[in-house]
Amino acid sequence: MPLSSKPRTRARAIPLAFVATATATALLLTGCTGGSTAPSASGTPTAGGTLTYASGDGEPTCLDPHVGGNYPQALLGGQFLESLVSRDSSGEIIPWLASSWEVTDDGLSYTFTLRDGVSFTDGTPLDAEAVKANVAHVQDPDTGSSTGYLALQKVANVEALDATTVRFDLSAPDSALLESLSQPWVAIESPAGLERGIEANCEGPIGTGPFTVSEWIKQDRVILTRNDAYVSPPADAGHEGAAYLDEIVWRFIPDSASRYAALQAGEVDVIDNAQPDTIVAATEQSGLAELDAPRPGSVNRLELNSDKAPFDDERVREAFIRAADVNDGIQSLFFGTAQRSYSPLSSVETTAYSDESLFGTDLDEANSLLDAAGWTQRDSEGYRTKDGQRLSLQFPVSTNQSIPAEQSLFEQIQATVKDAGFEVVLQPLDLSSWYGALGANEYDVVSAPYTKVGPDVLRILYDSSGITPAPSGYFANHAQVNRPELDAILSQASATSDADERADLYKQAQKIVLEGYYILPLYDQQNHFLYRDRVQGLRAMPTVSTPTFYDVSLSE
Amino acid sequence: MTDLSFRAAEQQAPVVDEQRADDRASGRGAGSRRRFRIGAGEALAGAYLIAAVVAAVAPGLLSPVDPLAISPSQAFSPPSLADPAVTLLGTDESGRSILSRIIHGAGPSLLIGASATAIGLLLGAALGLFAGLSGRVVDFAVNRLLEVLFALPGLLLALFLIVIVGPGVVTTTLAVGLSTAPGYARIIRGQVLAIRRSGYIEAATVLGVSPVRRLIRHMLPNTAGPLLALGTLGLGQAIVWASALSYLGLGAVPPSPEWGAMLAAGRIYLTTAWWMSVMPGLAIVLTAMSATALGRGVQRRVRAL
């Protein structure tokens, strides 16, 4: 299944007609892969049964997605926690725990009306005070939130007006607030649960979701049991009332080959992080199906650390990007399951802006740029030098976050940029050592996925404030882009509520990031699920593309 | 005095001859000449090891293809004769030649194996001699220490060391070396004890030969044979262990061609591109088998001396 060489259909400039086609294409794509709604035509879903899920994402150290805030937590948390709002497959924000909301004209105040008759699974009612307690929990430095913390950065105060009405007062207008609130990292948890303290809450957060955490056997599995009193599905769900499944057994199988083997043997029903070669193999095999749900927010890309030599020189960054030949590699390593991207944003974002012309491979151009930048000498191994220093780049690779095909792609980039005289030192690291290397600024190239609903992810990744670490110690602006004009555009985009104006500002921001050669875009954050035929009604949430098992039933 | 001690040692010699005579009489030994004849298996093993050593010393001689050169269009080519230098044993996910990578990987793999064995042997020999020659208390202490180390599987011990020092080729070598040392130490201690109680050492002691001289003149030569045999046997094991550690991502760093690391890289493609792991796996197995076959040969001959 080679990649076709036809140009990508996606919103390039922003004319409305274009947006419309792109949205339609996106809808069509998600439709094809089972992203649309609920049970298939094979009759009424039967209740009952146990579904086994095998995750290749690391086992969270804490099940509360407020703490830290990573994708594995969102995958699991999405089954038992719910957010104020959600997003449908066309990108519209839709009601969830909040049934409606109003925004003041200055964009500084949002008033949410909460859904009636919803209780947490510990019996605590969902009310305005509960929402207030959750925002306080995310913003509490002791919680150590990074993703949720950034999402709620502009929320200055939360006021419980009455039991079901809650007002968010902002320090500055935030056009992305609803998108941010749709994410699992700011899900609403029982205040009684939060009061147990961070450690106890990590073991089993209490939410309003269709399932509850009944047991967590560390290093092995989490058992989720159906919440029979469930009443609060999002507006785009396939049915109402309790979920069909009795139980979900959530296993952790880090090895991709073992995970796929378990699926083939029928030991598990759904696996995530399916590898490109197994996706191809599975689609040729009967009894298995694929759900392709690229993550929103950022695209997968290499970030070039512009804070220190040699990448503080734009010419050297451009030379690296011109020398790196990635298209052939993506084609052969991903077997046509990944499309090359030329945008900072995921293709699911309608505001994504691409510029392919900046990323053509051109070795001669790379060489003359490096000559101009003063890297004129070559040492005995063929690497360029300047003042006796080798043109060497430290590239810490998180083996937890980069799939093997991606690691192979990095090796290929290492081989191709060598021709221009770059030495790339690949360092495969576990997650904590990898964070350590980033925190110590000991990297020149890095690839860090970042998932967020909406184009506001650009503010997190490329605003100069993103160089300062969040309470958890994590910082997101790894390219260390520090451009006042970009900061200005991004805050203007946050402030405007006009959709077209906002889209235009985000386009300008993306232009600055691309034209400054801070990143080398690769492809959408891959998010492929494989499942057995007996699993009916599986879909990915249009928010952060985590699978939801609320509508799922098992057929025998 | 010295004269007498020599005579004492010479008196030992006929015993060995008698043993040989016994062997001959019973028909199982069939004499020294036959003992030293090289069998077909040993010849094959030797030839393979010589090839591996040549590959380790001068890989360019056997494969002109750059083991790091990528060619995405040729990725996942199965073994074929189409372009033998590249595709004889197939190509990997980046279109690199597996043949060339195995040849260029012989150096690091053998070097790690050989250095680790040397470290293990030297350390084991020192510890074994120390225990065997010192008094009861020291011997007891060393023995208990060895027993504790034996309680831990060797690989676990190596992993433990790597966790403390951090991963890398040097650490892997040291870790494998250190974790094989207890085995060698115990065997050598046994050997030393046996020799110490032998007639010729007793004679030398009675005749007042100094301990250092006894060690150098009598003990070491008599432990050298078993040591050599153990070393050749251990080489195979060390290569397998070093590969195992690289396989776990604790040794050689990608994309350097090291057999264990290649095996690990191929693992995820096992169902679609089996040659990526089978070929380096074969290289490891053949090397370990050859080293073991030669080791057994050496051991047999040493015993016969």
Side-chain angles (χ1 to χ4, degrees), chain A residues 63-114:
Chain A
L63 297 187
D64 175 5
H66 292 181
V67 177
N70 55 31
Y71 204 75
Q73 287 174 317
L75 275 171
L76 246 170
Q79 314 310 326
F80 52 85
L81 300 177
E82 297 180 305
S83 303
L84 283 178
V85 295
S86 188
R87 178 160 89 153
D88 68 13
S89 47
S90 65
E92 285 294 312
I93 297 296
I94 54 170
W96 200 353
L97 290 180
S99 50
S100 64
W101 51 89
E102 273 170 24
V103 192
T104 54
D105 288 340
D106 60 5
L108 283 172
S109 177
Y110 284 68
T111 307
F112 295 90
T113 306
L114 300 178

Side-chain angles (χ1 to χ4, degrees), chain A residues 255-256 277 328 332-333 335 404 408 411-412 414-416 426 428, chain B residues 68 70 72 75-76 93-94 96 253-255 267-269 271-272:
Chain A
D255 181 68
S256 63
D277 59 324
D328 290 345
S332 62
L333 289 167
F335 300 92
S408 300
E411 290 171 18
Q412 296 191 4
Q414 176 189 47
T416 55
L426 289 170
Chain B
L68 296 177
I70 61 158
F76 301 113
E93 82 280 8
S94 294
R96 293 176 290 227
V253 173
R267 178 196 51 169
I268 62 154
Y269 299 108
T271 48
T272 46

Side-chain angles (χ1 to χ4, degrees), chain B residues 12-50:
Chain B
Q12 270 316 102
V15 179
V16 178
D17 275 345
E18 271 168 35
Q19 200 185 337
R20 280 188 189 153
D22 281 348
D23 279 354
R24 220 172 288 145
S26 65
R28 70 194 149 94
S32 59
R33 214 177 299 152
R34 198 149 137 208
R35 270 175 205 285
F36 285 88
R37 192 181 293 162
I38 293 168
E42 281 173 352
L44 276 176
Y48 177 84
L49 275 190
I50 289 169

Side-chain angles (χ1 to χ4, degrees), chain B residues 250-293:
Chain B
L250 298 169
V253 173
S256 68
E258 198 276 339
W259 295 345
M262 288 171 70
L263 196 64
R267 178 196 51 169
I268 62 154
Y269 299 108
L270 197 58
T271 48
T272 46
W274 53 269
W275 53 91
M276 279 180 64
S277 32
V278 168
M279 297 303 177
L282 267 179
I284 297 171
V285 169
L286 287 178
T287 310
M289 271 172 60
S290 304
T292 310

